[in-house]
Amino acid sequence: MERRDVLRLTAGGLVGLAAVDGAKPAIAAAGQEKPGQENSLQEKSLQEQSAQEKSEADKPDLSLMMFPGNYTWSAAIRMVIASELWGGADLGEIYKVVAALKPDVGNNAAWFEQWSAMARKVTALGDAAQAKGHAQTAAGAYLRAAVYYQVGERLLQPRTEQSQKAFATAVELFKKGMGQVAALSIEAVEVPFEGGKSLPAYFVRSRDAGNAPLPTVVFFDGLDITKELQYFHGVPELARRGLAILIVDIPGTGESIRFRGMPARYDTNVVGTAVVDYLETRADVDKERIGIMGISLGGYYAPRAAAFEPRFKACVSWGAIWDYYAIWKRRVDRAFQGSLSVPGEHIMWVLGVSSLDEALEKLRDWRLAGVAERVKCPYLVTHGERDAQVPLEDAKALFNAIGGADKTMKVFTVEEGGFEHCQGDNITLGITTIADWFSDKLDARRRA
């Protein structure tokens, strides 16, 4: 991302770019100017704008770039580091992989091999602990290994038989480890879907809630994340607040795209209705208190679902998406020279097409204009001030279009942290803000 693009994402940058782009500066007058003062006022305004622009440019870059110059790899490392908070990684293991990768920056095959090697090593630790009867130690190792396998696999394009096997092993390891997670029940479930198919999911709740019907949040993944990785994006924080969570591999993500032949689709309202239908069959779900959230591209999926499914009582976009076609048109036009979380070719695989032209054509309907207006339930969008993937202007457009009166927009600044895409630089700020908001809107402190 060019510096002028970064400046566009800040209030100071917007002022500075008015001068850079040749726009006439706006002059806020306290009263009527006397004749002859206009030029001096304009000059003073331009000087102030120049000083503000310089101040923005001089700010230190606080992004955690473990691989300087490679946004994709650095963003992935931030994600793995954040997962440590909930048992998905260990900093020492991460560091060893990073060190091993330093000579091969940008080589996604090497990325896959090094993460897979660490996953195998940690799996062996789990097996050894299991053989000695140390179930908790084994479970922790299996969960970390699952993350490492999936982090390695997600950047590999094209997918291979080896990468498919690594992903399947990750799911198996997650399921081996999830039964020993302290205080939480994690249940693998299937959500009935179209044509006799089903969507794989995890239903998560606090063990001490017993069988009480809980307010429940549906959690949709994005372009390049999975239900296993999503769990380590703070699902335990939601459960700590008395919420149950259904994490779903919707079409285009996780097992649904890799093993069930279900490419991504724009009409995620169909998925939204399917998951609510499923939740209403469960006695441990309060059917009047169901919310939905989505991360990254899920920031499009979730409001799309809420717009057409009135049984959702609250909705969160963890990172805004307004016009996904426009985002990818820019990326393609720039030959993927920008800030991407995965290789550009990933979009073709996810959509089930064989060319970028086909991908762009299929993305034409992935817009929330005319849809966001139908969202009437309480709504929250969180966005980073310097989100390098999706401009802040898109978040503002989405927020302004939401049809309900109860809506909140939280922009995380550089000063407070959480300024990266989906608060990748401070996941804690992002998920606790969302968890507290859901707790309030779904009245999680009230027992049914």
Side-chain angles (χ1 to χ4, degrees):
M1 174 177 263
E2 296 180 2
R3 187 62 182 166
R4 66 188 285 114
D5 292 327
V6 173
L7 288 173
R8 289 184 190 278
L9 305 184
T10 67
L14 291 171
V15 174
L17 281 168
V20 173
D21 291 341
K24 184 176 180 179
I27 302 176
Q32 184 67 35
E33 292 84 2
K34 296 179 181 179
Q37 284 186 321
E38 183 177 354
N39 288 340
S40 62
L41 286 171
Q42 288 180 338
E43 181 178 352
K44 181 179 179 181
S45 177
L46 285 171
Q47 289 173 349
E48 291 173 348
Q49 291 167 3
S50 178
Q52 180 68 47
E53 180 184 348
K54 184 177 186 301
S55 175
E56 283 295 324
D58 289 343
K59 281 185 178 180
D61 185 356
L62 300 178
S63 300
L64 174 59
M65 296 292 285
M66 198 69 77
F67 298 98
N70 193 311
Y71 177 91
T72 303
W73 280 27
S74 296
I77 293 297
R78 290 195 293 267
M79 178 182 70
V80 187
I81 291 174
S83 71
E84 183 184 20
L85 293 168
W86 299 284
D90 181 271
L91 192 58
E93 292 163 357
I94 298 170
Y95 181 77
K96 287 182 179 179
V97 175
V98 170
L101 284 169
K102 286 294 185 180
D104 294 304
V105 178
N107 182 343
N108 289 336
W111 173 276
F112 174 73
E113 285 301 325
Q114 290 296 340
W115 281 111
S116 295
M118 181 56 73
R120 290 191 294 270
K121 177 180 178 180
V122 176
T123 300
L125 293 176
D127 290 342
Q130 189 70 47
K132 296 177 181 178
H134 301 307
Q136 288 78 16
T137 299
Y142 293 148
L143 292 172
R144 299 198 311 277
V147 169
Y148 299 156
Y149 269 127
Q150 289 199 3
V151 167
E153 185 270 349
R154 67 194 285 274
L155 299 189
L156 202 60
Q157 282 291 342
R159 258 44 183 213
T160 64
E161 182 178 347
Q162 188 180 15
S163 71
Q164 290 284 82
K165 182 178 179 181
F167 193 92
T169 301
V171 174
E172 178 184 348
L173 288 168
F174 185 90
K175 290 179 178 178
K176 285 178 69 173
M178 68 186 190
Q180 295 295 330
V181 173
L184 293 181
S185 167
I186 307 173
E187 177 189 357
V189 301
E190 295 286 336
V191 176
F193 196 52
E194 295 176 334
K197 295 183 178 180
S198 64
L199 302 170
Y202 296 122
F203 188 79
V204 184
R205 55 182 285 131
S206 173
R207 292 185 191 276
D208 65 12
N211 293 319
L214 299 180
T216 300
V217 173
V218 175
F219 193 178
F220 280 175
D221 28 22
L223 176 70
D224 54 2
I225 196 169
T226 68
K227 64 186 185 303
E228 288 78 25
L229 294 178
Q230 277 172 261
Y231 171 82
F232 295 108
H233 265 67
V235 165
E237 289 293 327
L238 296 165
R240 285 176 60 190
R241 286 156 178 79
L243 299 160
I245 308 94
L246 182 72
I247 325 171
V248 189
D249 275 344
I250 66 175
T253 61
E255 291 184 84
S256 291
I257 182 68
R258 287 167 176 83
F259 305 129
R260 305 191 184 192
M262 302 167 72
R265 49 193 291 176
Y266 80 95
D267 57 343
T268 46
N269 50 291
V270 177
V271 186
T273 294
V275 296
V276 177
D277 288 345
Y278 165 74
L279 289 174
E280 289 194 335
T281 69
R282 296 187 63 109
D284 53 0
V285 170
D286 186 329
K287 301 164 185 58
E288 300 303 317
R289 292 188 288 167
I290 298 175
I292 185 168
M293 65 181 286
I295 187 168
S296 194
L297 178 52
Y300 162 89
Y301 290 149
R304 170 91 198 186
F308 292 92
E309 180 47 77
R311 289 176 291 177
F312 286 122
K313 305 304 182 183
C315 176
V316 173
S317 288
W318 191 353
I321 298 290
W322 174 241
D323 186 333
Y324 206 50
Y325 169 82
I327 288 174
W328 275 98
K329 183 67 166 61
R330 289 194 298 270
R331 290 172 175 175
V332 171
D333 288 347
R334 295 173 183 173
F336 302 141
Q337 297 301 306
S339 302
L340 281 76
S341 59
V342 287
E345 295 77 11
H346 184 92
I347 191 65
M348 295 187 291
W349 176 71
V350 162
L351 293 172
V353 298
S354 57
S355 72
L356 290 174
D357 286 341
E358 289 179 274
L360 288 175
E361 186 60 33
K362 196 167 184 180
L363 287 171
R364 287 189 182 276
D365 292 326
W366 297 56
R367 297 175 166 124
L368 287 173
V371 174
E373 292 81 354
R374 299 179 57 148
V375 177
K376 304 300 184 182
C377 64
Y379 177 77
L380 168 68
V381 56
T382 70
H383 209 78
E385 182 184 33
R386 292 189 180 178
D387 187 320
Q389 296 184 47
V390 181
L392 181 57
E393 287 77 9
D394 284 19
K396 294 176 180 177
L398 172 57
F399 176 75
N400 290 335
I402 293 294
D406 184 353
K407 57 182 181 179
T408 303
M409 180 173 178
K410 171 58 181 174
V411 177
F412 289 91
T413 66
V414 174
E415 287 72 22
E416 68 185 311
F419 64 90
E420 295 276 11
H421 182 66
C422 300
Q423 289 70 72
D425 58 305
N426 196 324
I427 290 290
T428 302
L429 289 180
I431 190 59
T432 54
T433 296
I434 291 168
D436 289 345
W437 185 87
F438 268 128
S439 178
D440 292 341
K441 298 304 177 182
L442 297 179
D443 197 9
R445 288 180 289 272
R446 170 175 64 85
R447 291 291 187 182

